[in-house]
Amino acid sequence: MILHAAGRPAQPPVRRGLGALLAAGLLYGATPAAAAGACVGIAPGEDRPVRDLAYAMPEAGVPADALSLDLWPGASPLPAPLVVFVHGGTWMNGGKYAGTAGQARAFRSAGFAYATVNYRLRRYAAPDGAARDIAQAIAFLRAEAGGCGVDPSRIVLMGHSAGGHLAALVALDPGYLAGAGVPPGVVRAVVLLDAYGLDIPRHVRESGDPVYARVFGPDPVGWTAMSPVTYAGPGRPPAVILHVDARNPETPGQARVLAEALRAAGGEAVVHEAEGENHISINFGFGAPGDETTRRTLDFLAKHVTQGTGLSGLRATALIPPTSADSAGTHEGYTR
């Protein structure tokens, strides 16, 4: 079932023109140099995002905002670890608006900065191209870290639905970040919300689901290469994998398979069933008062990311009250 909410606001123009991107070395595929002050004009701790930052220049025929992101700097003067959110949408739909102001507020209250990222959808690039986009966005954010109060050495990748697949793939397959010039060890943890596609061949065998052949092509060898579980080797970042209850035919099994593979390689993975949640609410309810998914995620990240930074004591999401920015995102839906 596809959920849809009408009235999504038009996307504003992407900040920075072609000349600025050329000057900063941000044409697609290049390792970004530091751009000219993404966070200029935002005071430390100010509760508003920098919207529509172009982290690379898309090729001809790709929408101008396809390679853009929104960034909420940290709420503290201390350099903040950064959560990078990857939206879902069956690899074919969706956008960075699925990373909500409620998510940003929850993470900022726990000592993090927060970014939500667009990437090229399937009609413009295969999923490995989307994974390269996400790695490029991380490289851009690291280049901007000093001016935005971000700690470039402590990054969390978080994804929902198909975005969970992409977040896990970029975190576990070292080739994507290396290709963008991001050094090893920068991604400190992975947060997956009802993720699909963690072990594509297994799911296709068990279900016959035709979506994966449309998205990833007909070759099972390609399915293996694009499955995060393939890369669950030693030294991979710890993962918290949250899924909805067993009424979902795919995500509980996918969560267990990836967690078992990470543990078998000597890593850490925590799996939690979000009782009473559905595929949409686990994402759009993140950051709501009393939300169990939020609590478990922040506890996990306090242990693995903010411990020892001076930020680990910040926990109450009430520290940053709701603002009008909460209405900026819409609940346009997607199947996975």
Side-chain angles (χ1 to χ4, degrees), residues 7 9 21 41 43 46 64 75 83 139 149 153 161 175 190 194 232 248 267 277 309 315 336:
L21 288 166
E46 189 173 349
V83 174
S153 68
S161 193
V190 184
D194 215 37
N248 188 315
E277 298 277 16
T309 64
R315 276 286 285 104
R336 53 172 74 107

Side-chain angles (χ1 to χ4, degrees), residues 201 216-227 230-231:
F216 296 98
D219 186 357
V221 173
W223 302 345
T224 299
M226 289 301 294
S227 294
T230 302
Y231 307 98

Side-chain angles (χ1 to χ4, degrees), residues 72 85 96-105 114 283-284 286 329 331:
W72 281 257
F85 176 81
K96 59 186 171 63
Y97 54 84
T100 65
Q103 288 182 9
R105 189 172 59 252
Y114 176 85
N283 181 65
F284 285 103
F286 195 98
H331 288 47

Side-chain angles (χ1 to χ4, degrees), residues 45-48 72 75 101-106 108-109 287 289 316-327:
E46 189 173 349
D47 186 23
R48 66 182 174 96
W72 281 257
Q103 288 182 9
R105 189 172 59 252
R108 294 181 77 238
S109 293
T317 57
L319 286 175
I320 302 177
T323 71
S324 59
D326 286 351
S327 63

Side-chain angles (χ1 to χ4, degrees), residues 12-253:
V14 175
R15 291 169 56 140
R16 294 205 185 92
L18 176 59
L21 288 166
L22 284 165
L26 291 171
L27 282 178
Y28 187 81
T31 300
C39 296
V40 167
I42 296 185
E46 189 173 349
D47 186 23
R48 66 182 174 96
V50 188
R51 294 199 182 274
D52 302 297
L53 289 169
Y55 62 82
M57 178 59 65
E59 60 267 40
V62 177
D65 67 346
L67 302 179
S68 67
L69 59 87
D70 297 345
L71 171 64
W72 281 257
S76 164
L78 294 173
L82 174 66
V83 174
V84 178
F85 176 81
V86 184
H87 71 82
T90 329
W91 301 273
M92 295 183 278
N93 302 291
K96 59 186 171 63
Y97 54 84
T100 65
Q103 288 182 9
R105 189 172 59 252
F107 283 116
R108 294 181 77 238
S109 293
F112 292 86
Y114 176 85
T116 177
V117 179
N118 276 350
Y119 52 85
R120 287 173 297 170
L121 300 174
R122 184 64 182 88
R123 57 188 172 275
Y124 303 114
D128 62 328
R132 290 195 302 272
D133 296 345
I134 294 158
Q136 194 80 7
I138 291 171
F140 171 86
L141 288 161
R142 281 173 43 80
E144 292 282 357
C148 292
V150 168
D151 182 345
S153 68
R154 294 177 185 265
I155 291 175
V156 176
L157 265 170
M158 174 178 171
H160 170 239
S161 193
H165 161 265
L166 293 170
L169 187 65
V170 172
L172 300 181
D173 179 352
Y176 289 105
L177 291 174
V182 177
V186 164
V187 174
R188 300 296 186 93
V190 184
V191 178
L192 305 181
L193 301 180
D194 215 37
Y196 282 78
L198 303 179
D199 185 345
I200 297 167
R202 178 185 179 122
H203 178 67
V204 173
R205 285 195 307 270
E206 292 176 350
S207 70
D209 189 341
V211 168
Y212 290 94
R214 293 205 305 270
V215 171
F216 296 98
D219 186 357
V221 173
W223 302 345
T224 299
M226 289 301 294
S227 294
V229 71
T230 302
Y231 307 98
R236 299 303 190 261
V240 57
I241 309 172
L242 305 111
H243 63 83
V244 301
D245 63 31
R247 289 173 296 177
N248 188 315
E250 179 174 354
T251 56

